[in-house]
Each structure stands twice: as C-alpha cells, then as structure tokens.
Amino acid sequence: MLNENIKAIRKSKGLSQEELAVKLNVVRQTISKWEQGLSVPDSDLLISLSEALETPVSTLLGKTITEPAADDVKAIAEKLEVINLQLARKKAAKRKILHGCFLALCVFVVILLAVFMVWNSPYQNWNYDDPETAVIGVGLHSLEWLFVRAAPFLVLGGIAGACMTRKKG
C-alpha cells in the first residue's frame, strides 16, 4: 500500500523518480525500490518524503490513492500540444524549403533561357563533316530544343508551386 501511495502521489505532483530522489538526497533506484515494494523508507526518510510530496505521513501509510483523471488528461493534453507545435514547425520548415526550391527553379529557367538567347546557338556554324563534331552538335541542338519547349511548363510549374507553398495568412 505504501509503495502504491508513493507512486500515485509522486505522479500526481508531476515528479519523476529522479526529481523526487534529488529532493530526498537519495538515488533514483531507492525511489524505484520503494515504489516496487522491495524496500521501505526509514522513519526519517518517511517524514522527508511526506514533506517533499506535501502529503501527511498518515496519507502515505493510509489507504490506496488513485490519481485524479483530470490531471492525466491535462498532462496528456500538454504533451500533445508540444508535439503539435513541433510538427507545425517541421511542416512550416518543409513548406519554406519547397517554396524556395520552386522560386529557384523559376529563376534558373529564366536565366538559362536568357543565356540561350544570348548564346545564339554557336554550334550551328560548326563543320558537321567530322562525325564527333556532328554528334556533339546534334546533342547540343537536341538539349536546346527540348529546353526551349519545356521552359514555359517549368516556369508555370514553378510559379504554381511557389503560389501553393507561400505562407498563408
């Protein structure tokens, strides 16, 4: 009965075994043994224990104490609130990274498109009689052709993504 009362009162006060052990100047294992019923505190420690738990000795030695359900619900609600805050921060950080990536995609595509305009396809003046030059020239032309065709879709996708991931509110 004493072991159950110690545990119930300690938990209702929101103390861990370690915290109670520090208050009583004993090791955590001592508190654990008391709560498991493997040992009992001596009279001096029993008085210190009642003071630390702000509970009369008679209550510690008396009938079994049950923890109030309201404290359990409150403790669980507080823990859930902390977890929800952590998840919200993670979600906001991911959204911010995605937003930056979409904006970077738009800027990259526009810059690359400008480079292709200024560059003016110098490979078109190459001598295509040489097979190696011909292969490289055709490859460059294919990449440029694909990019110019895909660029508007990439920019629109980047803008749409940036709009969808922007901070709301």
Side-chain angles (χ1 to χ4, degrees), residues 1-7 10 17 20-21 24-50 52-53 60:
M1 191 177 324
L2 173 65
N3 60 332
E4 296 166 358
N5 289 347
I6 292 172
K7 186 174 186 177
R10 174 185 61 80
Q17 287 182 345
L20 182 58
L24 297 174
N25 203 22
V26 296
V27 294
R28 184 200 57 80
Q29 289 81 357
T30 302
I31 306 296
S32 176
K33 286 181 181 179
W34 292 347
E35 291 181 358
Q36 292 176 18
L38 300 176
S39 68
V40 292
D42 63 19
S43 59
D44 291 334
L45 276 176
L46 190 59
I47 293 169
S48 299
L49 181 62
S50 73
L53 295 175
L60 288 173

Short mmCIF file of all heavy atoms in Angstrom, two decimals, residues 1-7 10 17 20-21 24-50 52-53 60:
data_model
loop_
_atom_site.label_atom_id
_atom_site.label_comp_id
_atom_site.label_asym_id
_atom_site.label_seq_id
_atom_site.Cartn_x
_atom_site.Cartn_y
_atom_site.Cartn_z
N MET A 1 0.82 -1.18 0.00
CA MET A 1 0.00 0.00 0.00
C MET A 1 0.87 1.26 0.00
O MET A 1 0.59 2.20 -0.72
CB MET A 1 -0.93 -0.02 1.21
CG MET A 1 -1.99 1.03 1.13
SD MET A 1 -3.18 1.05 2.45
CE MET A 1 -3.46 -0.63 2.87
N LEU A 2 1.93 1.27 0.83
CA LEU A 2 2.83 2.42 0.87
C LEU A 2 3.47 2.66 -0.49
O LEU A 2 3.53 3.79 -0.98
CB LEU A 2 3.91 2.22 1.95
CG LEU A 2 5.02 3.26 1.98
CD1 LEU A 2 4.46 4.62 2.37
CD2 LEU A 2 6.12 2.86 2.95
N ASN A 3 3.90 1.57 -1.13
CA ASN A 3 4.55 1.70 -2.43
C ASN A 3 3.60 2.31 -3.46
O ASN A 3 3.98 3.19 -4.24
CB ASN A 3 5.08 0.35 -2.92
CG ASN A 3 3.99 -0.70 -3.06
OD1 ASN A 3 2.98 -0.65 -2.38
ND2 ASN A 3 4.22 -1.66 -3.94
N GLU A 4 2.35 1.88 -3.47
CA GLU A 4 1.37 2.42 -4.42
C GLU A 4 1.08 3.88 -4.14
O GLU A 4 0.93 4.69 -5.05
CB GLU A 4 0.08 1.59 -4.35
CG GLU A 4 0.26 0.15 -4.79
CD GLU A 4 -0.91 -0.73 -4.41
OE1 GLU A 4 -1.87 -0.23 -3.77
OE2 GLU A 4 -0.88 -1.91 -4.75
N ASN A 5 0.99 4.24 -2.85
CA ASN A 5 0.72 5.63 -2.47
C ASN A 5 1.88 6.55 -2.87
O ASN A 5 1.65 7.65 -3.36
CB ASN A 5 0.46 5.73 -0.97
CG ASN A 5 -0.87 5.13 -0.59
OD1 ASN A 5 -1.71 4.85 -1.45
ND2 ASN A 5 -1.08 4.92 0.70
N ILE A 6 3.10 6.09 -2.64
CA ILE A 6 4.26 6.91 -3.03
C ILE A 6 4.22 7.19 -4.52
O ILE A 6 4.37 8.33 -4.97
CB ILE A 6 5.59 6.22 -2.63
CG1 ILE A 6 5.73 6.17 -1.10
CG2 ILE A 6 6.79 6.95 -3.25
CD1 ILE A 6 6.92 5.32 -0.63
N LYS A 7 4.00 6.13 -5.29
CA LYS A 7 3.98 6.27 -6.75
C LYS A 7 2.84 7.17 -7.22
O LYS A 7 3.03 8.07 -8.04
CB LYS A 7 3.86 4.89 -7.40
CG LYS A 7 3.97 4.90 -8.91
CD LYS A 7 3.99 3.49 -9.45
CE LYS A 7 4.25 3.47 -10.93
NZ LYS A 7 4.33 2.11 -11.46
N ARG A 10 3.49 10.84 -6.13
CA ARG A 10 4.61 11.39 -6.92
C ARG A 10 4.13 11.77 -8.31
O ARG A 10 4.40 12.86 -8.81
CB ARG A 10 5.76 10.38 -7.01
CG ARG A 10 6.89 10.84 -7.93
CD ARG A 10 7.96 9.79 -8.10
NE ARG A 10 7.50 8.55 -8.68
CZ ARG A 10 7.30 8.34 -9.99
NH1 ARG A 10 7.48 9.32 -10.86
NH2 ARG A 10 6.89 7.17 -10.43
N GLN A 17 10.90 9.99 -10.78
CA GLN A 17 11.63 9.34 -9.70
C GLN A 17 12.94 10.08 -9.43
O GLN A 17 13.34 10.26 -8.29
CB GLN A 17 11.91 7.88 -10.05
CG GLN A 17 10.70 6.99 -9.99
CD GLN A 17 11.03 5.53 -10.30
OE1 GLN A 17 12.10 5.21 -10.81
NE2 GLN A 17 10.10 4.65 -9.96
N LEU A 20 12.28 13.35 -7.45
CA LEU A 20 11.99 13.06 -6.05
C LEU A 20 13.25 12.61 -5.32
O LEU A 20 13.49 13.01 -4.18
CB LEU A 20 10.89 12.00 -5.94
CG LEU A 20 10.44 11.62 -4.54
CD1 LEU A 20 9.94 12.86 -3.78
CD2 LEU A 20 9.36 10.55 -4.59
N ALA A 21 14.06 11.81 -5.99
CA ALA A 21 15.31 11.34 -5.38
C ALA A 21 16.23 12.52 -5.05
O ALA A 21 16.85 12.55 -3.98
CB ALA A 21 16.02 10.36 -6.32
N LEU A 24 15.06 14.25 -1.93
CA LEU A 24 15.30 13.47 -0.71
C LEU A 24 16.78 13.15 -0.50
O LEU A 24 17.13 12.51 0.50
CB LEU A 24 14.50 12.17 -0.76
CG LEU A 24 12.98 12.33 -0.80
CD1 LEU A 24 12.31 10.98 -1.00
CD2 LEU A 24 12.49 13.00 0.47
N ASN A 25 17.60 13.53 -1.45
CA ASN A 25 19.05 13.26 -1.38
C ASN A 25 19.33 11.76 -1.33
O ASN A 25 20.13 11.28 -0.52
CB ASN A 25 19.68 13.99 -0.18
CG ASN A 25 21.17 14.21 -0.39
OD1 ASN A 25 21.65 14.20 -1.51
ND2 ASN A 25 21.88 14.39 0.71
N VAL A 26 18.63 11.00 -2.17
CA VAL A 26 18.86 9.57 -2.34
C VAL A 26 19.02 9.30 -3.83
O VAL A 26 18.81 10.18 -4.66
CB VAL A 26 17.70 8.72 -1.77
CG1 VAL A 26 17.57 8.91 -0.27
CG2 VAL A 26 16.39 9.02 -2.47
N VAL A 27 19.36 8.07 -4.18
CA VAL A 27 19.49 7.72 -5.60
C VAL A 27 18.12 7.32 -6.15
O VAL A 27 17.22 6.93 -5.40
CB VAL A 27 20.53 6.59 -5.83
CG1 VAL A 27 21.92 7.06 -5.46
CG2 VAL A 27 20.16 5.35 -5.05
N ARG A 28 17.96 7.41 -7.45
CA ARG A 28 16.69 7.10 -8.10
C ARG A 28 16.27 5.66 -7.83
O ARG A 28 15.09 5.35 -7.68
CB ARG A 28 16.79 7.35 -9.61
CG ARG A 28 15.45 7.15 -10.33
CD ARG A 28 15.59 6.90 -11.81
NE ARG A 28 16.44 5.77 -12.15
CZ ARG A 28 16.06 4.49 -12.11
NH1 ARG A 28 14.85 4.16 -11.72
NH2 ARG A 28 16.89 3.53 -12.45
N GLN A 29 17.24 4.76 -7.76
CA GLN A 29 16.93 3.35 -7.54
C GLN A 29 16.23 3.14 -6.20
O GLN A 29 15.40 2.23 -6.06
CB GLN A 29 18.21 2.50 -7.61
CG GLN A 29 18.77 2.35 -9.00
CD GLN A 29 19.60 3.55 -9.47
OE1 GLN A 29 19.73 4.54 -8.78
NE2 GLN A 29 20.16 3.45 -10.67
N THR A 30 16.53 3.99 -5.22
CA THR A 30 15.86 3.88 -3.92
C THR A 30 14.37 4.15 -4.07
O THR A 30 13.54 3.40 -3.55
CB THR A 30 16.48 4.89 -2.92
OG1 THR A 30 17.87 4.62 -2.81
CG2 THR A 30 15.82 4.81 -1.56
N ILE A 31 14.03 5.21 -4.83
CA ILE A 31 12.62 5.53 -5.08
C ILE A 31 11.96 4.38 -5.82
O ILE A 31 10.84 3.97 -5.50
CB ILE A 31 12.48 6.84 -5.87
CG1 ILE A 31 13.22 8.00 -5.20
CG2 ILE A 31 11.02 7.18 -6.13
CD1 ILE A 31 12.71 8.39 -3.85
N SER A 32 12.66 3.84 -6.79
CA SER A 32 12.13 2.73 -7.58
C SER A 32 11.84 1.52 -6.68
O SER A 32 10.79 0.88 -6.80
CB SER A 32 13.12 2.36 -8.68
OG SER A 32 12.66 1.23 -9.39
N LYS A 33 12.76 1.21 -5.78
CA LYS A 33 12.55 0.07 -4.87
C LYS A 33 11.37 0.31 -3.94
O LYS A 33 10.59 -0.60 -3.66
CB LYS A 33 13.82 -0.20 -4.05
CG LYS A 33 14.92 -0.85 -4.86
CD LYS A 33 16.14 -1.12 -4.00
CE LYS A 33 17.25 -1.75 -4.84
NZ LYS A 33 18.45 -2.00 -4.04
N TRP A 34 11.20 1.55 -3.47
CA TRP A 34 10.05 1.86 -2.62
C TRP A 34 8.76 1.65 -3.38
O TRP A 34 7.80 1.09 -2.87
CB TRP A 34 10.11 3.31 -2.14
CG TRP A 34 11.20 3.63 -1.17
CD1 TRP A 34 12.00 2.75 -0.49
CD2 TRP A 34 11.63 4.93 -0.79
NE1 TRP A 34 12.90 3.43 0.28
CE2 TRP A 34 12.70 4.76 0.13
CE3 TRP A 34 11.24 6.21 -1.12
CZ2 TRP A 34 13.36 5.85 0.71
CZ3 TRP A 34 11.89 7.29 -0.55
CH2 TRP A 34 12.92 7.11 0.36
N GLU A 35 8.72 2.13 -4.65
CA GLU A 35 7.50 2.03 -5.44
C GLU A 35 7.20 0.59 -5.87
O GLU A 35 6.05 0.25 -6.12
CB GLU A 35 7.59 2.95 -6.66
CG GLU A 35 7.54 4.42 -6.29
CD GLU A 35 7.60 5.35 -7.49
OE1 GLU A 35 7.73 4.86 -8.64
OE2 GLU A 35 7.51 6.58 -7.28
N GLN A 36 8.22 -0.23 -5.97
CA GLN A 36 8.01 -1.63 -6.33
C GLN A 36 7.71 -2.50 -5.10
O GLN A 36 7.38 -3.67 -5.23
CB GLN A 36 9.25 -2.18 -7.04
CG GLN A 36 9.48 -1.59 -8.40
CD GLN A 36 10.77 -2.10 -9.02
OE1 GLN A 36 11.32 -3.12 -8.61
NE2 GLN A 36 11.26 -1.38 -10.02
N GLY A 37 7.85 -1.89 -3.93
CA GLY A 37 7.59 -2.63 -2.69
C GLY A 37 8.75 -3.52 -2.29
O GLY A 37 8.58 -4.42 -1.46
N LEU A 38 9.93 -3.30 -2.83
CA LEU A 38 11.10 -4.11 -2.49
C LEU A 38 11.77 -3.63 -1.21
O LEU A 38 12.51 -4.38 -0.58
CB LEU A 38 12.11 -4.09 -3.64
CG LEU A 38 11.59 -4.63 -4.98
CD1 LEU A 38 12.65 -4.45 -6.07
CD2 LEU A 38 11.21 -6.09 -4.85
N SER A 39 11.53 -2.39 -0.84
CA SER A 39 12.04 -1.85 0.43
C SER A 39 11.11 -0.72 0.86
O SER A 39 10.23 -0.31 0.11
CB SER A 39 13.48 -1.35 0.27
OG SER A 39 13.51 -0.20 -0.56
N VAL A 40 11.33 -0.23 2.10
CA VAL A 40 10.52 0.87 2.62
C VAL A 40 11.46 1.92 3.20
O VAL A 40 12.56 1.58 3.66
CB VAL A 40 9.53 0.39 3.70
CG1 VAL A 40 8.46 -0.49 3.09
CG2 VAL A 40 10.24 -0.30 4.83
N PRO A 41 11.03 3.17 3.19
CA PRO A 41 11.88 4.21 3.78
C PRO A 41 11.89 4.11 5.31
O PRO A 41 10.90 3.69 5.91
CB PRO A 41 11.21 5.51 3.31
CG PRO A 41 9.81 5.14 3.00
CD PRO A 41 9.83 3.71 2.57
N ASP A 42 13.01 4.48 5.91
CA ASP A 42 13.04 4.53 7.37
C ASP A 42 12.22 5.73 7.84
O ASP A 42 11.71 6.51 7.04
CB ASP A 42 14.47 4.55 7.90
CG ASP A 42 15.25 5.78 7.48
OD1 ASP A 42 14.63 6.79 7.09
OD2 ASP A 42 16.50 5.75 7.55
N SER A 43 12.07 5.87 9.15
CA SER A 43 11.17 6.91 9.68
C SER A 43 11.62 8.32 9.30
O SER A 43 10.78 9.17 8.97
CB SER A 43 11.07 6.78 11.21
OG SER A 43 12.36 6.92 11.80
N ASP A 44 12.93 8.60 9.30
CA ASP A 44 13.39 9.93 8.92
C ASP A 44 13.09 10.21 7.45
O ASP A 44 12.65 11.30 7.10
CB ASP A 44 14.91 10.06 9.17
CG ASP A 44 15.25 10.08 10.65
OD1 ASP A 44 14.37 10.48 11.44
OD2 ASP A 44 16.38 9.69 11.00
N LEU A 45 13.35 9.23 6.59
CA LEU A 45 13.08 9.41 5.17
C LEU A 45 11.58 9.49 4.90
O LEU A 45 11.15 10.18 3.98
CB LEU A 45 13.70 8.27 4.35
CG LEU A 45 15.18 8.46 3.99
CD1 LEU A 45 15.72 7.24 3.27
CD2 LEU A 45 15.38 9.69 3.13
N LEU A 46 10.78 8.80 5.70
CA LEU A 46 9.34 8.86 5.53
C LEU A 46 8.82 10.28 5.80
O LEU A 46 7.97 10.80 5.07
CB LEU A 46 8.65 7.84 6.44
CG LEU A 46 7.17 7.61 6.21
CD1 LEU A 46 6.90 7.12 4.79
CD2 LEU A 46 6.63 6.61 7.21
N ILE A 47 9.38 10.90 6.82
CA ILE A 47 9.00 12.28 7.12
C ILE A 47 9.47 13.21 6.00
O ILE A 47 8.71 14.08 5.54
CB ILE A 47 9.58 12.71 8.49
CG1 ILE A 47 8.90 11.91 9.61
CG2 ILE A 47 9.41 14.21 8.72
CD1 ILE A 47 9.56 12.06 10.96
N SER A 48 10.71 13.03 5.53
CA SER A 48 11.22 13.85 4.42
C SER A 48 10.39 13.63 3.17
O SER A 48 10.12 14.57 2.41
CB SER A 48 12.69 13.49 4.14
OG SER A 48 13.48 13.76 5.26
N LEU A 49 9.98 12.39 2.96
CA LEU A 49 9.16 12.05 1.80
C LEU A 49 7.81 12.76 1.88
O LEU A 49 7.34 13.33 0.88
CB LEU A 49 8.96 10.54 1.71
CG LEU A 49 8.14 9.99 0.56
CD1 LEU A 49 8.81 10.32 -0.78
CD2 LEU A 49 7.99 8.49 0.69
N SER A 50 7.21 12.76 3.03
CA SER A 50 5.91 13.43 3.18
C SER A 50 6.05 14.94 2.95
O SER A 50 5.17 15.57 2.37
CB SER A 50 5.30 13.15 4.55
OG SER A 50 5.98 13.86 5.56
N ALA A 52 8.44 16.36 1.02
CA ALA A 52 8.74 16.55 -0.40
C ALA A 52 7.48 16.43 -1.26
O ALA A 52 7.32 17.14 -2.24
CB ALA A 52 9.80 15.55 -0.86
N LEU A 53 6.59 15.52 -0.85
CA LEU A 53 5.36 15.31 -1.61
C LEU A 53 4.22 16.18 -1.09
O LEU A 53 3.10 16.11 -1.62
CB LEU A 53 4.95 13.83 -1.57
CG LEU A 53 5.91 12.85 -2.25
CD1 LEU A 53 5.45 11.42 -2.03
CD2 LEU A 53 6.02 13.15 -3.74
N LEU A 60 0.38 8.79 3.37
CA LEU A 60 1.32 7.86 2.73
C LEU A 60 1.12 6.44 3.24
O LEU A 60 1.20 5.48 2.47
CB LEU A 60 2.77 8.29 2.99
CG LEU A 60 3.26 9.52 2.24
CD1 LEU A 60 4.64 9.93 2.73
CD2 LEU A 60 3.30 9.27 0.74
#
